[in-house]
Amino acid sequence: MAETTKLMDKLVSLCKRRGFIFPSSEIYGGLNSCYDYGPLGVELKRNVKDFWWKAMVQTRDDIEGLDASILMHPRVWEASGHVANFTDPMVDCKVCKARFRADEIKPEKAGQCPRCGNKDSLTEARNFNLMFKTFMGPVEEAANVVYMRPETAQGIYVNVYNVMQAARQRIPFGIAQIGKAFRNEITPGNFTFRTREFEQMEMQFFVKPGTDMEWFEYWKQQRIQWYDGLGIRQSKLHFHEHTPQERAFYAAAAFDIEYEFPFGWKELEGIHNRTNYDLSKHQEYSGKDLSYFDDQTRERYVPYIIETSAGCDRTVLTTLIDAYDEDVIEGEARTVLHLAPAIAPIKAGVFPLVKKEGMPEVAKKIYHELKKHFPAFYDDGGAIGRRYRRMDEAGTPYGITVDGQTLQDQTVTVRDRDSLVQTRVAIDKLLPFIQEKMAAYKRME
Ligand code: GAP
């Protein structure tokens, strides 16, 4: 337990110090469970999103992209069941005023406050709707209530035929979207693991009834493999099949991909066979026919949906936790992030060995050249070992050093963050050398 807290504390502190993630509104004391991504964090997050988009949209012919609005017609959330059912049971401690999710209280400790320990101090459980409400227009009255979407999925469902027709797709096909979602979580926590504002990366795949379980299995495999490319160790991932109690009543099958976080195995992504529930409900509430007519087989049906729903912030946190390591090199401790080059915020650090003899000029030229292709960082401050360490901590996979020999034969050394091997490479071969190394990268277990 102490080790767990230590690792999370160290990671939170590294994120702040190096500019991955800051507490929101920090000068005002912060806002509970809200975070801002700093210069390195925003690059990491963009890379994760690009990696997902490339796998789910760019390299496929059967998935189209969408960016739907956060505010939607309030009837959407009645149809989806969120107004009636998107609730958590909540209890309050009458003594210390702390608030908990009732399902997080252990049955053998019923009535006892987990914070102050007082017995019989908890209120009866009340259902609390997790959707954030706001008002559209200047008058704050019930008729103007709109909700901040609690998932991106509904924006996809209501657009299925717009997208299908515009992109000339046929079933089976999917729609992918990355965007913000909001949930008024009762107990947010574990840094960015559970927050009230977060981004989702969701894909809804529309299929013919009867073919749904085949597609479900296909997407399960696709999605778990995706994390391998992201550099997350497969030994830290597994599937968790929803128990009948966990599974939504309409779902024919539901699995989570779970990661072994320092605070236990927890959900990273959900893969659900949602049957024709969503489109049937929107059909009922909107009064619009949402069935699909297959003009080749002359069949009409309401499509089934296989959903893959990943949390972007949670994935970013996972890449950081999975990458975090401490080791000792030549008697000196170092903190290193073994981030995959594809998502590392900076791909290469460029260093002149000393700040004289023309080395900074050569190093700057290399730096400016590399920056045309990927984010690079120039550093001539302090001992070379310290400069390597700073890049290790930022997860930068390659360190390029201009030294005395460079001035003789136009070669530099390339240091590999993980193996620490240094290779001499001609300056004019440097870019393809790094690009090949990035493409061949494999995470060490
Ligand atoms: N459309 C289905 C859906 O939203 P979910 O299991 O509620 O399913 C999907 O959410 C993913 O979104 C989760 O696996 C998680 O990665 C992320 N997520 C959900 N709630 C979150 C929160 N409060 N903070 C951060 N990420 C969250």
Side-chain angles (χ1 to χ4, degrees):
M1 186 63 192
E3 278 303 306
T4 298
T5 323
K6 240 168 50 194
L7 171 62
M8 286 310 285
D9 285 352
K10 284 179 188 174
L11 189 75
V12 171
S13 134
L14 182 142
C15 282
K16 165 92 198 293
R17 182 160 37 87
R18 295 310 310 263
F20 280 98
I21 302 170
F22 305 126
S24 161
S25 327
E26 200 184 7
I27 59 167
Y28 290 96
L31 182 63
N32 187 12
S33 103
C34 293
Y35 294 95
D36 300 340
Y37 287 83
L40 292 185
V42 75
E43 289 290 337
L44 175 61
K45 194 173 183 190
R46 272 167 48 117
N47 293 340
V48 167
K49 289 195 253 187
D50 286 350
F51 198 74
W52 187 85
W53 197 260
K54 194 168 177 192
M56 301 299 276
V57 182
Q58 188 190 321
T59 55
R60 298 191 66 107
D61 296 329
D62 57 356
I63 300 185
E64 304 290 340
L66 180 74
D67 185 3
S69 68
I70 287 171
L71 301 176
M72 300 181 73
H73 195 291
R75 290 276 285 166
V76 166
W77 307 110
E78 289 171 32
S80 68
H82 282 84
V83 170
N85 302 319
F86 195 55
T87 55
D88 273 343
M90 176 178 79
V91 291
D92 291 296
C93 173
K94 287 178 264 186
V95 179
C96 74
K97 309 291 175 214
R99 181 162 280 180
F100 307 95
R101 259 170 54 184
D103 53 0
E104 286 173 345
I105 310 278
K106 296 196 179 93
E108 63 275 17
K109 298 256 167 105
Q112 182 175 0
C113 174
R115 162 114 42 101
C116 68
N118 274 297
K119 292 195 173 140
D120 298 323
S121 67
L122 298 180
T123 59
E124 286 295 309
R126 288 168 293 143
N127 272 340
F128 171 74
N129 195 297
L130 300 185
M131 281 197 294
F132 277 99
K133 271 184 204 169
T134 186
F135 299 94
M136 193 160 245
V139 186
E140 294 195 5
E141 60 182 22
N144 294 336
V145 163
V146 286
Y147 300 97
M148 313 278 278
R149 68 178 174 199
E151 61 172 15
T152 61
Q154 302 299 326
I156 293 180
Y157 303 149
V158 300
N159 273 300
V160 55
Y161 291 110
N162 281 340
V163 173
M164 196 189 288
Q165 277 146 24
R168 297 176 52 234
Q169 285 284 359
R170 306 174 54 81
I171 279 177
F173 92 109
I175 303 177
Q177 170 164 227
I178 300 176
K180 290 264 185 180
F182 302 82
R183 294 182 190 177
N184 204 356
E185 300 279 2
I186 298 168
T187 45
N190 285 321
F191 199 24
T192 56
F193 178 82
R194 179 169 288 110
T195 53
R196 295 192 171 110
E197 171 182 343
F198 55 97
E199 262 182 291
Q200 289 187 313
M201 307 185 289
E202 292 199 303
M203 193 282 299
Q204 313 290 326
F205 205 74
F206 300 88
V207 303
K208 182 178 167 181
T211 66
D212 48 307
M213 281 315 291
E214 218 174 293
W215 281 110
F216 181 76
E217 286 305 322
Y218 169 82
W219 280 113
K220 261 178 68 188
Q221 296 315 321
Q222 289 290 309
R223 290 306 305 150
I224 199 149
Q225 275 162 27
W226 180 79
Y227 291 96
D228 195 35
L230 201 64
I232 290 175
R233 289 165 293 176
Q234 290 280 307
S235 59
K236 292 279 194 173
L237 295 170
H238 71 197
F239 282 114
H240 161 73
E241 182 173 8
H242 280 205
T243 60
Q245 290 76 23
E246 289 173 294
R247 200 163 72 199
F249 70 90
Y250 52 81
F255 278 72
D256 291 338
I257 296 175
E258 290 190 335
Y259 178 81
E260 191 179 16
F261 288 93
F263 38 88
W265 285 95
K266 300 273 178 208
E267 175 184 345
L268 193 51
E269 166 161 357
I271 298 148
H272 312 123
N273 177 348
R274 302 180 63 112
T275 67
N276 62 7
Y277 177 79
D278 305 283
L279 292 185
S280 301
K281 281 285 167 193
H282 284 304
Q283 183 165 267
E284 183 189 329
Y285 277 71
S286 69
K288 300 282 182 326
D289 179 7
L290 297 180
S291 63
Y292 171 75
F293 181 66
D294 185 329
D295 54 8
Q296 286 172 354
T297 64
R298 316 297 297 166
E299 289 169 289
R300 183 173 284 284
Y301 54 84
V302 176
Y304 269 41
I305 294 172
I306 308 301
E307 166 180 75
T308 72
S309 177
C312 179
D313 306 82
R314 203 173 279 187
T315 306
V316 169
L317 177 64
T318 308
T319 64
L320 288 166
I321 289 173
D322 200 62
Y324 187 94
D325 197 14
E326 290 168 357
D327 56 15
V328 177
I329 301 168
E330 290 162 8
E332 216 187 298
R334 81 164 175 167
T335 300
V336 53
L337 293 181
H338 296 288
L339 291 172
I343 57 166
I346 303 167
K347 313 298 181 197
V350 186
F351 321 109
L353 186 62
V354 289
K355 250 202 275 190
K356 54 186 183 200
E357 295 165 24
M359 289 184 208
E361 289 73 12
V362 178
K364 272 194 186 147
K365 203 161 163 236
I366 292 172
Y367 161 69
H368 286 299
E369 196 47 44
L370 292 181
K371 248 173 107 80
K372 290 180 196 160
H373 303 273
F374 45 67
F377 187 79
Y378 176 83
D379 189 1
D380 61 13
I384 189 73
R386 292 200 53 205
R387 284 182 268 163
Y388 286 151
R389 271 343 147 256
R390 285 201 286 263
M391 283 290 99
D392 290 342
E393 213 182 37
T396 306
Y398 310 110
I400 296 154
T401 306
V402 169
D403 56 14
Q405 194 175 326
T406 310
L407 310 175
Q408 311 299 320
D409 66 2
Q410 301 295 300
T411 62
V412 290
T413 59
V414 179
R415 172 186 179 270
D416 184 290
R417 174 199 66 201
D418 298 340
S419 68
L420 299 172
V421 169
Q422 303 221 16
T423 314
R424 251 195 193 276
V425 182
I427 293 175
D428 60 359
K429 301 269 166 36
L430 188 57
L431 179 63
F433 178 82
I434 291 179
Q435 284 169 331
E436 273 165 36
K437 266 181 90 75
M438 288 207 275
Y441 173 83
K442 197 89 193 101
R443 173 77 157 95
M444 296 188 303
E445 272 290 331

mmCIF file of all heavy atoms in Angstrom, residues 86 150-153 157 183 185 192-200 202 204 256 267-270 272 274 307 309-315, ligand 1:
data_model
loop_
_atom_site.group_PDB
_atom_site.id
_atom_site.type_symbol
_atom_site.label_atom_id
_atom_site.label_comp_id
_atom_site.label_asym_id
_atom_site.label_seq_id
_atom_site.Cartn_x
_atom_site.Cartn_y
_atom_site.Cartn_z
ATOM 1 N N PHE A 86 -28.913 7.255 -15.101
ATOM 2 C CA PHE A 86 -27.468 7.464 -14.982
ATOM 3 C C PHE A 86 -27.166 8.024 -13.591
ATOM 4 O O PHE A 86 -26.811 9.180 -13.394
ATOM 5 C CB PHE A 86 -26.973 8.413 -16.084
ATOM 6 C CG PHE A 86 -25.481 8.391 -16.246
ATOM 7 C CD1 PHE A 86 -24.801 7.204 -16.474
ATOM 8 C CD2 PHE A 86 -24.750 9.567 -16.190
ATOM 9 C CE1 PHE A 86 -23.433 7.180 -16.630
ATOM 10 C CE2 PHE A 86 -23.367 9.556 -16.337
ATOM 11 C CZ PHE A 86 -22.716 8.362 -16.556
ATOM 12 N N PRO A 150 -22.546 13.087 -21.023
ATOM 13 C CA PRO A 150 -21.762 12.217 -20.145
ATOM 14 C C PRO A 150 -21.009 11.136 -20.920
ATOM 15 O O PRO A 150 -20.256 10.362 -20.334
ATOM 16 C CB PRO A 150 -22.830 11.584 -19.247
ATOM 17 C CG PRO A 150 -24.061 11.577 -20.093
ATOM 18 C CD PRO A 150 -23.983 12.725 -21.034
ATOM 19 N N GLU A 151 -21.247 11.048 -22.226
ATOM 20 C CA GLU A 151 -20.503 10.132 -23.096
ATOM 21 C C GLU A 151 -20.600 10.701 -24.516
ATOM 22 O O GLU A 151 -21.527 11.451 -24.828
ATOM 23 C CB GLU A 151 -21.083 8.713 -23.044
ATOM 24 C CG GLU A 151 -22.540 8.632 -23.501
ATOM 25 C CD GLU A 151 -23.063 7.199 -23.641
ATOM 26 O OE1 GLU A 151 -22.428 6.263 -23.136
ATOM 27 O OE2 GLU A 151 -24.123 7.041 -24.280
ATOM 28 N N THR A 152 -19.649 10.340 -25.370
ATOM 29 C CA THR A 152 -19.682 10.873 -26.745
ATOM 30 C C THR A 152 -20.565 10.012 -27.650
ATOM 31 O O THR A 152 -20.944 10.430 -28.741
ATOM 32 C CB THR A 152 -18.265 10.963 -27.350
ATOM 33 O OG1 THR A 152 -17.691 9.658 -27.400
ATOM 34 C CG2 THR A 152 -17.366 11.880 -26.544
ATOM 35 N N ALA A 153 -20.886 8.802 -27.175
ATOM 36 C CA ALA A 153 -21.578 7.814 -28.013
ATOM 37 C C ALA A 153 -22.876 8.335 -28.645
ATOM 38 O O ALA A 153 -23.147 8.078 -29.822
ATOM 39 C CB ALA A 153 -21.885 6.573 -27.168
ATOM 40 N N TYR A 157 -24.799 8.032 -32.434
ATOM 41 C CA TYR A 157 -26.062 7.337 -32.765
ATOM 42 C C TYR A 157 -27.006 8.237 -33.560
ATOM 43 O O TYR A 157 -27.602 7.817 -34.536
ATOM 44 C CB TYR A 157 -26.778 6.850 -31.494
ATOM 45 C CG TYR A 157 -25.930 5.933 -30.634
ATOM 46 C CD1 TYR A 157 -26.073 5.905 -29.254
ATOM 47 C CD2 TYR A 157 -24.972 5.108 -31.216
ATOM 48 C CE1 TYR A 157 -25.282 5.076 -28.469
ATOM 49 C CE2 TYR A 157 -24.173 4.280 -30.437
ATOM 50 C CZ TYR A 157 -24.334 4.277 -29.070
ATOM 51 O OH TYR A 157 -23.548 3.464 -28.302
ATOM 52 N N ARG A 183 -19.012 14.067 -16.100
ATOM 53 C CA ARG A 183 -19.811 13.302 -15.128
ATOM 54 C C ARG A 183 -19.551 13.865 -13.751
ATOM 55 O O ARG A 183 -18.382 14.008 -13.357
ATOM 56 C CB ARG A 183 -19.400 11.812 -15.137
ATOM 57 C CG ARG A 183 -19.719 11.139 -16.436
ATOM 58 C CD ARG A 183 -19.371 9.662 -16.443
ATOM 59 N NE ARG A 183 -19.484 9.170 -17.806
ATOM 60 C CZ ARG A 183 -19.199 7.951 -18.199
ATOM 61 N NH1 ARG A 183 -18.782 7.050 -17.327
ATOM 62 N NH2 ARG A 183 -19.339 7.602 -19.465
ATOM 63 N N GLU A 185 -19.039 12.929 -10.867
ATOM 64 C CA GLU A 185 -18.678 11.755 -10.070
ATOM 65 C C GLU A 185 -18.723 12.090 -8.580
ATOM 66 O O GLU A 185 -18.261 13.162 -8.162
ATOM 67 C CB GLU A 185 -17.252 11.302 -10.413
ATOM 68 C CG GLU A 185 -17.027 10.911 -11.869
ATOM 69 C CD GLU A 185 -17.491 9.513 -12.195
ATOM 70 O OE1 GLU A 185 -18.039 8.837 -11.292
ATOM 71 O OE2 GLU A 185 -17.323 9.097 -13.364
ATOM 72 N N THR A 192 -5.690 11.515 -12.507
ATOM 73 C CA THR A 192 -6.607 11.706 -13.639
ATOM 74 C C THR A 192 -7.406 10.438 -13.961
ATOM 75 O O THR A 192 -8.078 10.384 -14.991
ATOM 76 C CB THR A 192 -5.837 12.152 -14.897
ATOM 77 O OG1 THR A 192 -4.814 11.180 -15.160
ATOM 78 C CG2 THR A 192 -5.200 13.502 -14.707
ATOM 79 N N PHE A 193 -7.326 9.427 -13.084
ATOM 80 C CA PHE A 193 -8.050 8.180 -13.384
ATOM 81 C C PHE A 193 -9.552 8.415 -13.448
ATOM 82 O O PHE A 193 -10.230 7.976 -14.379
ATOM 83 C CB PHE A 193 -7.726 7.114 -12.325
ATOM 84 C CG PHE A 193 -8.475 5.833 -12.563
ATOM 85 C CD1 PHE A 193 -8.011 4.906 -13.477
ATOM 86 C CD2 PHE A 193 -9.674 5.569 -11.903
ATOM 87 C CE1 PHE A 193 -8.720 3.734 -13.732
ATOM 88 C CE2 PHE A 193 -10.386 4.399 -12.156
ATOM 89 C CZ PHE A 193 -9.898 3.490 -13.071
ATOM 90 N N ARG A 194 -10.085 9.062 -12.418
ATOM 91 C CA ARG A 194 -11.520 9.375 -12.426
ATOM 92 C C ARG A 194 -11.700 10.855 -12.145
ATOM 93 O O ARG A 194 -11.421 11.334 -11.049
ATOM 94 C CB ARG A 194 -12.284 8.532 -11.404
ATOM 95 C CG ARG A 194 -13.781 8.868 -11.390
ATOM 96 C CD ARG A 194 -14.651 7.915 -10.611
ATOM 97 N NE ARG A 194 -14.804 6.642 -11.298
ATOM 98 C CZ ARG A 194 -14.273 5.502 -10.901
ATOM 99 N NH1 ARG A 194 -13.570 5.467 -9.802
ATOM 100 N NH2 ARG A 194 -14.438 4.397 -11.588
ATOM 101 N N THR A 195 -12.132 11.593 -13.165
ATOM 102 C CA THR A 195 -12.313 13.032 -13.034
ATOM 103 C C THR A 195 -13.737 13.383 -13.459
ATOM 104 O O THR A 195 -14.477 12.522 -13.940
ATOM 105 C CB THR A 195 -11.305 13.786 -13.926
ATOM 106 O OG1 THR A 195 -11.417 13.276 -15.251
ATOM 107 C CG2 THR A 195 -9.888 13.619 -13.432
ATOM 108 N N ARG A 196 -14.081 14.643 -13.311
ATOM 109 C CA ARG A 196 -15.457 15.039 -13.661
ATOM 110 C C ARG A 196 -15.533 15.529 -15.103
ATOM 111 O O ARG A 196 -16.610 15.588 -15.679
ATOM 112 C CB ARG A 196 -15.959 16.093 -12.673
ATOM 113 C CG ARG A 196 -16.068 15.505 -11.265
ATOM 114 C CD ARG A 196 -16.834 16.408 -10.329
ATOM 115 N NE ARG A 196 -17.100 15.712 -9.079
ATOM 116 C CZ ARG A 196 -16.548 15.995 -7.913
ATOM 117 N NH1 ARG A 196 -15.677 16.975 -7.812
ATOM 118 N NH2 ARG A 196 -16.865 15.295 -6.842
ATOM 119 N N GLU A 197 -14.395 15.935 -15.641
ATOM 120 C CA GLU A 197 -14.324 16.337 -17.045
ATOM 121 C C GLU A 197 -13.226 15.494 -17.658
ATOM 122 O O GLU A 197 -12.111 15.450 -17.123
ATOM 123 C CB GLU A 197 -13.951 17.829 -17.121
ATOM 124 C CG GLU A 197 -13.655 18.280 -18.521
ATOM 125 C CD GLU A 197 -13.242 19.754 -18.587
ATOM 126 O OE1 GLU A 197 -13.478 20.510 -17.632
ATOM 127 O OE2 GLU A 197 -12.677 20.118 -19.620
ATOM 128 N N PHE A 198 -13.522 14.795 -18.729
ATOM 129 C CA PHE A 198 -12.510 13.916 -19.325
ATOM 130 C C PHE A 198 -12.813 13.743 -20.807
ATOM 131 O O PHE A 198 -13.870 14.149 -21.295
ATOM 132 C CB PHE A 198 -12.474 12.562 -18.605
ATOM 133 C CG PHE A 198 -13.805 11.858 -18.550
ATOM 134 C CD1 PHE A 198 -14.135 10.882 -19.481
ATOM 135 C CD2 PHE A 198 -14.728 12.177 -17.571
ATOM 136 C CE1 PHE A 198 -15.367 10.242 -19.441
ATOM 137 C CE2 PHE A 198 -15.973 11.537 -17.523
ATOM 138 C CZ PHE A 198 -16.293 10.574 -18.457
ATOM 139 N N GLU A 199 -11.848 13.157 -21.507
ATOM 140 C CA GLU A 199 -12.063 12.914 -22.936
ATOM 141 C C GLU A 199 -12.227 11.424 -23.195
ATOM 142 O O GLU A 199 -11.534 10.610 -22.579
ATOM 143 C CB GLU A 199 -10.883 13.458 -23.745
ATOM 144 C CG GLU A 199 -11.178 14.818 -24.321
ATOM 145 C CD GLU A 199 -10.028 15.349 -25.158
ATOM 146 O OE1 GLU A 199 -8.989 15.667 -24.590
ATOM 147 O OE2 GLU A 199 -10.197 15.446 -26.381
ATOM 148 N N GLN A 200 -13.121 11.118 -24.098
ATOM 149 C CA GLN A 200 -13.315 9.728 -24.496
ATOM 150 C C GLN A 200 -12.873 9.534 -25.942
ATOM 151 O O GLN A 200 -12.892 10.479 -26.738
ATOM 152 C CB GLN A 200 -14.795 9.347 -24.386
ATOM 153 C CG GLN A 200 -15.282 9.225 -22.951
ATOM 154 C CD GLN A 200 -16.699 8.677 -22.877
ATOM 155 O OE1 GLN A 200 -17.577 9.128 -23.610
ATOM 156 N NE2 GLN A 200 -16.930 7.722 -21.995
ATOM 157 N N GLU A 202 -14.249 7.036 -28.610
ATOM 158 C CA GLU A 202 -15.284 6.004 -28.761
ATOM 159 C C GLU A 202 -15.506 5.667 -30.230
ATOM 160 O O GLU A 202 -15.450 6.540 -31.100
ATOM 161 C CB GLU A 202 -16.608 6.481 -28.161
ATOM 162 C CG GLU A 202 -16.547 6.622 -26.644
ATOM 163 C CD GLU A 202 -17.929 6.630 -25.996
ATOM 164 O OE1 GLU A 202 -18.754 7.488 -26.370
ATOM 165 O OE2 GLU A 202 -18.176 5.786 -25.137
ATOM 166 N N GLN A 204 -18.330 3.341 -32.574
ATOM 167 C CA GLN A 204 -19.566 2.543 -32.595
ATOM 168 C C GLN A 204 -19.616 1.861 -33.963
ATOM 169 O O GLN A 204 -19.586 2.534 -34.990
ATOM 170 C CB GLN A 204 -20.790 3.449 -32.406
ATOM 171 C CG GLN A 204 -20.659 4.466 -31.260
ATOM 172 C CD GLN A 204 -20.675 3.853 -29.872
ATOM 173 O OE1 GLN A 204 -21.363 2.857 -29.639
ATOM 174 N NE2 GLN A 204 -19.916 4.420 -28.941
ATOM 175 N N ASP A 256 -14.442 -5.527 -20.185
ATOM 176 C CA ASP A 256 -13.552 -4.376 -20.007
ATOM 177 C C ASP A 256 -12.130 -4.831 -20.270
ATOM 178 O O ASP A 256 -11.761 -5.957 -19.907
ATOM 179 C CB ASP A 256 -13.610 -3.843 -18.562
ATOM 180 C CG ASP A 256 -14.940 -3.189 -18.250
ATOM 181 O OD1 ASP A 256 -15.635 -2.770 -19.201
ATOM 182 O OD2 ASP A 256 -15.287 -3.106 -17.046
ATOM 183 N N GLU A 267 -10.664 -0.617 -14.923
ATOM 184 C CA GLU A 267 -11.092 -0.484 -16.323
ATOM 185 C C GLU A 267 -10.340 0.617 -17.075
ATOM 186 O O GLU A 267 -10.183 1.727 -16.588
ATOM 187 C CB GLU A 267 -12.594 -0.147 -16.334
ATOM 188 C CG GLU A 267 -13.114 0.140 -17.716
ATOM 189 C CD GLU A 267 -14.594 0.569 -17.715
ATOM 190 O OE1 GLU A 267 -15.281 0.375 -16.697
ATOM 191 O OE2 GLU A 267 -15.035 1.092 -18.746
ATOM 192 N N LEU A 268 -9.913 0.227 -18.278
ATOM 193 C CA LEU A 268 -9.268 1.182 -19.178
ATOM 194 C C LEU A 268 -10.196 1.476 -20.348
ATOM 195 O O LEU A 268 -10.265 2.593 -20.856
ATOM 196 C CB LEU A 268 -7.974 0.509 -19.667
ATOM 197 C CG LEU A 268 -6.899 1.282 -20.376
ATOM 198 C CD1 LEU A 268 -6.523 2.526 -19.602
ATOM 199 C CD2 LEU A 268 -5.676 0.387 -20.536
ATOM 200 N N GLU A 269 -10.892 0.437 -20.766
ATOM 201 C CA GLU A 269 -11.768 0.567 -21.941
ATOM 202 C C GLU A 269 -12.889 -0.458 -21.838
ATOM 203 O O GLU A 269 -12.671 -1.563 -21.348
ATOM 204 C CB GLU A 269 -10.918 0.299 -23.201
ATOM 205 C CG GLU A 269 -11.724 0.062 -24.457
ATOM 206 C CD GLU A 269 -10.927 0.256 -25.739
ATOM 207 O OE1 GLU A 269 -9.743 0.640 -25.677
ATOM 208 O OE2 GLU A 269 -11.504 0.021 -26.810
ATOM 209 N N GLY A 270 -14.058 -0.093 -22.337
ATOM 210 C CA GLY A 270 -15.183 -1.029 -22.357
ATOM 211 C C GLY A 270 -15.515 -1.438 -23.782
ATOM 212 O O GLY A 270 -15.484 -0.603 -24.690
ATOM 213 N N HIS A 272 -18.594 -3.320 -25.749
ATOM 214 C CA HIS A 272 -19.966 -3.748 -25.451
ATOM 215 C C HIS A 272 -20.713 -4.123 -26.714
ATOM 216 O O HIS A 272 -20.575 -3.445 -27.733
ATOM 217 C CB HIS A 272 -20.749 -2.604 -24.766
ATOM 218 C CG HIS A 272 -20.016 -1.964 -23.632
ATOM 219 N ND1 HIS A 272 -19.742 -0.624 -23.570
ATOM 220 C CD2 HIS A 272 -19.474 -2.512 -22.508
ATOM 221 C CE1 HIS A 272 -19.064 -0.362 -22.460
ATOM 222 N NE2 HIS A 272 -18.898 -1.483 -21.800
ATOM 223 N N ARG A 274 -24.159 -3.707 -27.747
ATOM 224 C CA ARG A 274 -25.302 -2.933 -27.235
ATOM 225 C C ARG A 274 -26.617 -3.316 -27.911
ATOM 226 O O ARG A 274 -27.629 -2.651 -27.700
ATOM 227 C CB ARG A 274 -25.040 -1.438 -27.414
ATOM 228 C CG ARG A 274 -23.771 -0.970 -26.704
ATOM 229 C CD ARG A 274 -23.546 0.516 -26.893
ATOM 230 N NE ARG A 274 -24.607 1.287 -26.311
ATOM 231 C CZ ARG A 274 -24.491 2.078 -25.241
ATOM 232 N NH1 ARG A 274 -23.329 2.206 -24.642
ATOM 233 N NH2 ARG A 274 -25.520 2.746 -24.776
ATOM 234 N N GLU A 307 -19.661 -1.458 -29.472
ATOM 235 C CA GLU A 307 -19.011 -0.224 -29.028
ATOM 236 C C GLU A 307 -17.641 -0.502 -28.423
ATOM 237 O O GLU A 307 -17.485 -1.440 -27.646
ATOM 238 C CB GLU A 307 -19.891 0.439 -27.955
ATOM 239 C CG GLU A 307 -19.187 1.522 -27.174
ATOM 240 C CD GLU A 307 -20.075 2.174 -26.122
ATOM 241 O OE1 GLU A 307 -20.317 1.530 -25.078
ATOM 242 O OE2 GLU A 307 -20.539 3.294 -26.354
ATOM 243 N N SER A 309 -15.102 1.760 -26.160
ATOM 244 C CA SER A 309 -15.129 3.056 -25.472
ATOM 245 C C SER A 309 -13.928 3.186 -24.540
ATOM 246 O O SER A 309 -13.859 2.538 -23.496
ATOM 247 C CB SER A 309 -16.434 3.169 -24.676
ATOM 248 O OG SER A 309 -16.443 4.375 -23.959
ATOM 249 N N ALA A 310 -12.977 4.026 -24.960
ATOM 250 C CA ALA A 310 -11.749 4.189 -24.168
ATOM 251 C C ALA A 310 -11.703 5.601 -23.600
ATOM 252 O O ALA A 310 -12.198 6.545 -24.211
ATOM 253 C CB ALA A 310 -10.530 3.945 -25.033
ATOM 254 N N GLY A 311 -11.080 5.739 -22.448
ATOM 255 C CA GLY A 311 -10.882 7.060 -21.850
ATOM 256 C C GLY A 311 -9.517 7.579 -22.277
ATOM 257 O O GLY A 311 -8.506 6.892 -22.104
ATOM 258 N N CYS A 312 -9.492 8.790 -22.827
ATOM 259 C CA CYS A 312 -8.218 9.325 -23.313
ATOM 260 C C CYS A 312 -7.300 9.689 -22.142
ATOM 261 O O CYS A 312 -6.132 9.309 -22.117
ATOM 262 C CB CYS A 312 -8.495 10.532 -24.200
ATOM 263 S SG CYS A 312 -6.999 11.261 -24.812
ATOM 264 N N ASP A 313 -7.852 10.415 -21.171
ATOM 265 C CA ASP A 313 -7.024 10.823 -20.026
ATOM 266 C C ASP A 313 -6.541 9.593 -19.247
ATOM 267 O O ASP A 313 -5.415 9.548 -18.775
ATOM 268 C CB ASP A 313 -7.839 11.732 -19.088
ATOM 269 C CG ASP A 313 -8.413 12.896 -19.847
ATOM 270 O OD1 ASP A 313 -9.479 12.726 -20.489
ATOM 271 O OD2 ASP A 313 -7.810 13.968 -19.841
ATOM 272 N N ARG A 314 -7.426 8.609 -19.143
ATOM 273 C CA ARG A 314 -7.059 7.385 -18.426
ATOM 274 C C ARG A 314 -5.965 6.634 -19.183
ATOM 275 O O ARG A 314 -5.074 6.040 -18.573
ATOM 276 C CB ARG A 314 -8.305 6.508 -18.236
ATOM 277 C CG ARG A 314 -8.172 5.553 -17.107
ATOM 278 C CD ARG A 314 -9.468 4.839 -16.841
ATOM 279 N NE ARG A 314 -10.418 5.612 -16.042
ATOM 280 C CZ ARG A 314 -11.559 5.126 -15.578
ATOM 281 N NH1 ARG A 314 -11.890 3.857 -15.846
ATOM 282 N NH2 ARG A 314 -12.387 5.865 -14.865
ATOM 283 N N THR A 315 -6.020 6.678 -20.503
ATOM 284 C CA THR A 315 -4.971 6.021 -21.297
ATOM 285 C C THR A 315 -3.651 6.768 -21.133
ATOM 286 O O THR A 315 -2.590 6.142 -20.989
ATOM 287 C CB THR A 315 -5.366 5.971 -22.790
ATOM 288 O OG1 THR A 315 -6.641 5.353 -22.888
ATOM 289 C CG2 THR A 315 -4.362 5.198 -23.613
HETATM 290 N N1 GAP B 1 -20.345 4.932 -24.021
HETATM 291 C C1 GAP B 1 -19.970 3.974 -23.054
HETATM 292 C C2 GAP B 1 -19.283 4.560 -21.900
HETATM 293 O O1 GAP B 1 -19.209 5.770 -21.747
HETATM 294 P P1 GAP B 1 -18.020 3.915 -19.685
HETATM 295 O O2 GAP B 1 -17.492 2.593 -19.240
HETATM 296 O O3 GAP B 1 -18.919 4.660 -18.773
HETATM 297 O O4 GAP B 1 -18.739 3.616 -21.084
HETATM 298 C C3 GAP B 1 -15.876 4.459 -21.049
HETATM 299 O O5 GAP B 1 -16.792 4.861 -20.083
HETATM 300 C C4 GAP B 1 -14.460 4.845 -20.661
HETATM 301 O O6 GAP B 1 -14.404 6.241 -20.368
HETATM 302 C C5 GAP B 1 -13.951 4.166 -19.417
HETATM 303 O O7 GAP B 1 -13.407 2.889 -19.702
HETATM 304 C C6 GAP B 1 -12.891 5.126 -18.930
HETATM 305 O O8 GAP B 1 -11.665 4.897 -19.619
HETATM 306 C C7 GAP B 1 -13.444 6.476 -19.354
HETATM 307 N N2 GAP B 1 -14.085 7.146 -18.204
HETATM 308 C C8 GAP B 1 -15.347 6.950 -17.742
HETATM 309 N N3 GAP B 1 -15.591 7.749 -16.678
HETATM 310 C C9 GAP B 1 -14.461 8.459 -16.455
HETATM 311 C C10 GAP B 1 -14.073 9.458 -15.503
HETATM 312 N N4 GAP B 1 -14.911 9.898 -14.572
HETATM 313 N N5 GAP B 1 -12.810 9.965 -15.583
HETATM 314 C C11 GAP B 1 -11.946 9.544 -16.529
HETATM 315 N N6 GAP B 1 -12.267 8.621 -17.465
HETATM 316 C C12 GAP B 1 -13.490 8.073 -17.438
#
